């Protein structure tokens, strides 16, 4: 059915259309919105409901962004600074409207303008769908980094893929999690600008061959095209706007076989078009099959090849204007950052382009590649350190496999000739792993370490683990290659725009709004930590955020929660190492104890609402069982009239950036409870702390540094330390682990069927036994359970003392200055990339 807003008048009758791309006054902005509704039409003329109003408003804002983007592009072209190119398989951008008008400083003017059409800006912003370009912390970090690059006026670009259906949209049913395709591009995105002139050929399969002059080339196979879509990224209170360039895969009209189509062979006729659509259809397609593995590798290569061809094109475009015009200048003009191992193929691809396309010899190409590329490691989990089958690599990318083999051979020769004492360790250090002759693989992390000039971890603890354990053998060869760059978050999206009440308080008490771009100023709050007036304002702001959160929960789950209860939140990707299972077992134990209490005892309890959100990967069975368990526990607890005044358990469906922007400001306790040594950094912990939320957590990732900054007394610590974990696992294998009775009680209550008839044995069995696949409690849930329960009891007591709790909350915000992505990016720029600010004049 066509949509109608029931109004038989055009938008032009409300506000006269007048193109005014740079408008900053409400009346002129309204005219520009009306202009877009009429002359950039996407809907029928009489339709101007909230959705149509959003698109017209977004296109009006985009006019500002395009103007700044053009000026920034021309400025960089004219001044020719060294530029950074950030390659990432994911970007978790979130909604763009609020962020764009906020960074441009025109929020108030746009709010007034849309009122002329009878709308509130906040309501229109709610019409926007989150861009489905990412999944978790890796993608959100990349998006924070782009915001900081633009704000710091750095010459930088992001490169990614334009996924049509994202990872998936999560729906919760009685069966648990269901996955359906994201629909963010079902109509269109008003922010992206297709660049029909920026298109590059991408080859797959084929063979490597030797030319008459002795050089090598790659021929045959199938060739698709990479088409560029640009998303402008505005800096905060600056004229600079940089670009996130997303690649989409296309086949050409020539690839459509008209003869076959007219012969009734419809699928065969459009075979290459269908393959092109697959590449950017879904983020992280299932890789259990050979086809799935090939598709993932195709995606990774597609991103790397398109991006590097674009980078080289832009270098050559300016090369003739430079004094020497030599390829040796390339690393002085280009820095490439690999965000984890997904873009590792940038290394052999840059070598291939320099040698096969540009005619350079191996030594010169290797020198350029090594000086250009840097690598960020985000994980120590073995399954996340990518290893690709050599057979799959050779089949899909035969020329790259040759180059990787040569890099491996030369690395081996270098170690034997210069580091003889390392020869015994070479097998684990090499890029090619042939230890299993049936399944030889390429170790992508090793390829990154060997080939890049800098390797960095993302938190102090994580970087130390890289140097002392994961990459320890490389350290003696390259002692200066390894850095730490503790992650950060943008304070614009994660406080200024998502928590307006708290932002106003900060500006009032700090007597400046400069904290938005200089987060260290938050330390000025410490001297007011005991001020009763600040306490009253702080509590009022938190309550407003909690009420907003309660409304969201009611809207999406139908569950009513009490804003006067303690809001306890864990939102992140569902994974056994992140230990949502520990959280829900703790809630089950709390429920059991409440059931055993008398009415008088219950009156002394701290009421609590436990909220858990996150997506479980579609093929990760135990993670999906955890999602179901949380929902099953909630269904019982929330409908128990004896208990639901004291405890509620809610699973927040379809967690994404926009949901986080509601949950984080309303949170009072946040759980960051991964097994120590397994979370590289975490960034949601920083977002919660910045918004005055107290953390309960292990000494893992950035928790260590957050605790140092906010004060040990303002952080609820529990659990084993990272350097104890290996020993505890050995003790478990030796049968030395003795489970706490409380842990046994919680598991037994689930096994008893108290939360429904679903068989949770496979999930709970992972916590049992001493060893074996899927057993032995690898993530130490049982070991950490007693200290976790004890820490939660301390939380309950602290929350009863409102004055103490608010002070803890204030000091968490006051201690968050270090965790700005502006600080992180400034360090990357100076210490890894060698780039400097280039503000548009």
């Amino acid at each position: 059915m066509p949509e109608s807003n029931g109004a038989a008048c055009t938008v032009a009758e409300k506000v006269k259309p007048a193109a005014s791309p740079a408008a900053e006054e409400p009346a002129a902005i309204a005219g520009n919105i009306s202009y877009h509704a009429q002359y950039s039409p996407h809907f029928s003329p009489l339709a101007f409901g909230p959705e149509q109003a959003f698109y017209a408003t977004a296109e009006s804002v985009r006019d500002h962004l395009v103007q700044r983007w053009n000026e920034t592009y021309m400025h960089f072209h004219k001044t020719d600074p060294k530029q950074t190119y950030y390659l990432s398989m994911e970007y978790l951008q979130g909604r763009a409207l609020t962020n764009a008008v906020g960074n441009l400083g025109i929020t108030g003017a746009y709010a007034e303008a849309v009122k002329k059409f009878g709308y509130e800006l906040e309501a229109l912003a709610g019409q926007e769908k989150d861009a489905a370009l990412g999944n978790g912390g890796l993608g959100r970090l990349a998006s924070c980094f782009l915001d900081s690059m633009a704000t710091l006026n750095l010459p930088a670009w992001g490169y990614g893929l334009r996924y049509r259906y994202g990872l998936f949209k999560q729906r919760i049913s009685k069966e648990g999690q269901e996955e359906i395709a994201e629909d963010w591009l079902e109509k269109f995105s008003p922010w992206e600008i297709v660049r029909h002139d920026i298109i590059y050929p991408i080859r797959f399969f084929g063979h490597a061959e030797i030319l008459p002059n002795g050089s090598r080339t790659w021929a045959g196979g199938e060739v698709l095209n990479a088409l560029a879509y640009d998303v402008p990224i505005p800096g905060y209170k600056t004229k600079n706007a940089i670009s996130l360039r997303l690649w989409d895969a296309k086949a050409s009209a020539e690839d459509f076989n008209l003869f076959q189509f007219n012969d009734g062979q419809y699928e065969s006729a459009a075979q290459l078009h269908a393959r092109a659509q697959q590449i950017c259809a879904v983020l992280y397609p299932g890789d259990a099959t050979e086809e799935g593995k090939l598709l993932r590798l195709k995606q990774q290569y597609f991103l790397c090849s398109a991006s590097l061809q674009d980078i080289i094109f832009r270098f050559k475009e300016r090369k003739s204007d430079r004094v020497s015009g030599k390829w040796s200048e390339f690393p002085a003009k280009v820095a490439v950052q690999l965000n984890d191992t997904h873009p590792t193929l940038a290394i052999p691809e840059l070598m291939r382009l320099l040698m096969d396309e540009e005619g350079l010899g191996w030594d010169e190409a290797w020198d350029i590649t090594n000086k250009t590329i840097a690598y960020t490691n985000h994980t120590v989990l073995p399954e996340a350190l990518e290893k690709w089958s050599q057979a799959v690599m050779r089949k899909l990318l035969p020329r790259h496999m040759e180059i990787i083999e040569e890099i491996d051979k030369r690395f081996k020769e270098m170690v034997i000739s210069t580091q003889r004492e390392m020869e015994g360790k070479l097998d684990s250090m090499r890029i090619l792993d042939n230890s299993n002759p049936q399944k030889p693989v390429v170790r992508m992390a090793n390829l990154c370490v060997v080939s890049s000039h800098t390797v960095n971890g993302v938190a102090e603890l994580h970087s130390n683990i890289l140097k002392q354990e994961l990459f320890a053998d490389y350290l003696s060869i390259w002692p200066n290659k390894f850095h730490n760059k503790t992650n950060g978050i943008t304070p614009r999206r994660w406080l200024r725009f998502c928590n307006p009440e708290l932002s106003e308080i900060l500006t009032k008490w700090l007597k400046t709004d400069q904290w938005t771009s200089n987060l260290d100023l938050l330390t000025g709050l410490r001297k007011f930590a005991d001020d009763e007036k600040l306490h009253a304002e702080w509590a009022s702001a938190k309550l407003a955020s909690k009420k907003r959160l309660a409304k969201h929960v009611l809207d999406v789950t139908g569950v009513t929660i009490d804003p006067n209860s303690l809001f306890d939140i864990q939102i992140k990707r569902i994974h056994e190492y992140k230990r949502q299972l520990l959280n829900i077992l703790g809630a089950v134990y709390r429920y059991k104890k409440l059931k055993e209490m008398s009415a008088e005892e219950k009156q002394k309890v701290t009421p609590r609402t436990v909220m858990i959100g996150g997506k479980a990967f579609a093929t990760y069975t135990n993670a999906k069982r955890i999602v179901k368990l949380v929902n099953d526990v909630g269904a019982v607890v929330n409908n128990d009239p004896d208990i639901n005044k004291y405890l509620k358990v809610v699973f927040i469906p379809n967690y994404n950036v926009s949901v986080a922007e509601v949950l984080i400001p309303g949170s009072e306790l946040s759980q960051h409870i991964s097994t120590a040594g397994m979370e590289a950094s975490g960034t949601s912990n920083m977002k919660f702390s910045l918004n005055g939320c107290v953390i309960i957590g292990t000494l893992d990732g950035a928790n260590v540094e957050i605790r140092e900054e906010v004060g040990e007394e303002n952080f609820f610590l529990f659990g084993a330390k990272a350097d104890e974990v290996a020993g505890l696992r050995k003790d478990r294998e030796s049968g030395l682990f003795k489970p706490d009775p409380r842990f046994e009680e919680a598991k037994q209550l689930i096994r008893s069927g108290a939360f429904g008839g679903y068989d949770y044995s496979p999930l709970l069995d992972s916590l049992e036994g001493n060893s074996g696949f899927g057993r032995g409690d690898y993530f130490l849930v049982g070991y950490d359970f007693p200290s976790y329960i004890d820490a939660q009891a301390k939380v309950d007591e602290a929350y009863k003392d409102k004055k103490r709790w608010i002070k803890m909350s204030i000091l968490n915000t006051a201690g968050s200055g270090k965790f700005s992505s502006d600080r992180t990016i400034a360090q990357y720029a100076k210490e890894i990339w060698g780039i400097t600010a280039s503000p548009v004049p």
Side-chain angles (χ1 to χ4, degrees), residues 448-609:
C448 286
V449 173
V450 168
S451 309
S452 56
H453 61 82
T454 305
V455 176
N456 74 280
V458 290
E460 201 73 57
L461 174 66
H462 171 238
S463 297
N464 288 337
I465 290 172
L466 295 186
K467 289 191 282 190
Q468 294 162 14
E469 298 175 29
L470 195 64
F471 300 139
D473 294 334
Y474 298 103
L475 195 66
S476 57
I477 303 175
W478 298 296
N480 299 318
K481 181 175 279 199
F482 297 89
H483 290 214
N484 174 58
K485 297 287 172 280
T486 297
N487 281 342
I489 56 171
T490 167
R492 273 75 64 183
R493 182 178 289 273
W494 293 113
L495 179 53
R496 179 69 189 84
F497 304 145
C498 74
N499 198 342
E501 294 90 354
L502 187 59
S503 295
E504 286 175 18
I505 290 169
L506 297 181
T507 298
K508 174 185 170 183
W509 285 81
L510 295 173
K511 293 185 168 55
T512 177
D513 65 356
Q514 292 298 307
W515 58 267
T516 313
S517 50
N518 180 7
L519 208 58
D520 288 331
L521 293 174
L522 292 181
T523 56
L525 283 175
R526 286 179 177 148
K527 62 183 177 223
F528 305 118
D530 291 303
D531 191 295
E532 288 183 8
K533 286 183 181 174
L534 176 58
H535 276 227
E537 292 176 22
W538 201 270
S540 174
K542 181 59 76 173
L543 185 60
S545 293
K546 289 177 76 177
K547 286 179 177 176
R548 203 159 41 237
L549 169 49
K551 182 183 183 304
H552 175 80
V553 169
L554 181 62
D555 289 345
V556 299
T557 70
V559 178
T560 301
I561 60 176
D562 180 7
N564 293 309
S565 65
L566 168 59
F567 279 11
D568 167 355
I569 298 182
Q570 185 184 20
I571 40 172
K572 50 186 78 231
R573 192 163 48 92
I574 309 293
H575 197 294
E576 285 169 285
Y577 89 83
K578 293 178 184 284
R579 300 201 297 190
Q580 287 92 349
L581 184 53
L582 174 59
N583 186 345
I584 194 60
L585 283 167
V588 166
Y589 179 75
R590 180 179 290 268
Y591 175 65
K592 184 175 187 294
K593 292 296 110 182
L594 281 165
K595 292 292 282 182
E596 294 166 0
M597 286 182 188
S598 67
E600 292 75 25
E601 288 172 319
K602 284 178 193 162
Q603 294 302 316
K604 298 173 186 172
V605 165
T606 301
R608 186 184 293 228
T609 301

Side-chain angles (χ1 to χ4, degrees), residues 199 209 442 572 704:
I199 193 162
E209 57 184 45
V442 181
K572 50 186 78 231
V704 178

Side-chain angles (χ1 to χ4, degrees), residues 31 122 142 149-150 202 237 321 387 407 451 457 487 522 655 815 829:
E122 193 177 338
M149 290 173 195
I202 312 292
K237 291 190 175 179
D321 298 342
K387 295 176 183 177
I407 295 171
S451 309
N487 281 342
L522 292 181
Y655 174 58

Side-chain angles (χ1 to χ4, degrees), residues 141-163:
L141 179 78
S143 294
C144 282
F145 279 4
L146 292 181
D147 181 90
S148 287
M149 290 173 195
T151 297
L152 296 174
N153 298 315
L154 292 171
W157 288 62
Y159 282 109
L161 295 183
R162 184 178 178 262
Y163 304 105

